[in-house]
Amino acid sequence: MNSENNNYNLKNVLSLAFLGDAVFTLMVREWLLKNNDSKPNNLNKLANSVVKASYQAEILRNLKDTLNEEESDIVRRARNSHLNNIAKNSTHEEYSLATQLETLVGYWYLTEQKEKLDNMFKEFVEKKLC
């Protein structure tokens, strides 16, 4: 599906981040259930090691140079959005970068760019969880 046909690049970036947060969390939890026999408390600790602003910020820092023009624009718009909340245990910069990553994940999800989601997940999340 082409993003130009659906105008997802025109959506409010914080709405994309809202979706991206859910998609990212679901991907982590699904992977943990398929690859780990731990009890729920341990699964939650493992999930929290990657579903947090500081780690999501690290992922985006590593991805930025690989983004195409449209993706860079989505990230730039997210960076320029006004965030009213900041997650506990994170800096304003980390929270902003995490929101930018979540926006990108939401955009990839809505535009059915599963390969990009999977590549990001394998490169940064699976390695951290293993």
Side-chain angles (χ1 to χ4, degrees):
M1 179 181 301
N2 188 334
S3 62
E4 294 173 1
N5 296 335
N6 292 300
N7 294 320
Y8 292 125
N9 56 343
L10 300 177
K11 289 228 181 272
N12 179 307
V13 291
L14 295 181
S15 296
L16 290 174
F18 172 76
L19 177 63
D21 177 46
V23 170
F24 188 86
T25 302
L26 179 62
M27 290 175 74
V28 169
R29 289 178 178 211
E30 181 179 354
W31 187 91
L32 285 170
L33 283 175
K34 289 179 178 177
N35 297 284
N36 198 308
D37 284 337
S38 295
K39 293 183 179 183
N41 188 42
N42 191 44
L43 292 174
N44 193 49
K45 287 178 185 176
L46 288 168
N48 289 340
S49 72
V50 294
V51 182
K52 63 180 183 178
S54 61
Y55 192 67
Q56 290 175 325
E58 184 179 327
I59 292 171
L60 185 67
R61 285 186 194 107
N62 288 305
L63 278 178
K64 274 193 171 181
D65 292 337
T66 67
L67 302 178
N68 65 35
E69 187 176 328
E70 191 170 18
E71 294 162 340
S72 294
D73 184 55
I74 294 286
V75 168
R76 179 193 52 77
R77 286 178 44 228
R79 181 187 68 228
N80 292 337
S81 64
H82 297 288
L83 302 172
N84 295 326
N85 300 326
I86 296 179
K88 61 182 179 183
N89 303 319
S90 73
T91 66
H92 186 275
E93 178 190 12
E94 288 172 337
Y95 190 72
S96 176
L97 288 167
T99 300
Q100 292 168 52
L101 177 70
E102 290 168 349
T103 301
L104 184 61
V105 168
Y107 171 75
W108 283 340
Y109 181 80
L110 285 176
T111 57
E112 298 178 2
Q113 297 185 60
K114 185 166 176 23
E115 186 175 336
K116 289 192 177 192
L117 280 169
D118 290 343
N119 288 341
M120 177 272 304
F121 193 85
K122 286 178 181 153
E123 185 170 346
F124 299 105
V125 181
E126 281 184 16
K127 289 179 183 179
K128 175 105 171 152
L129 293 174
C130 287

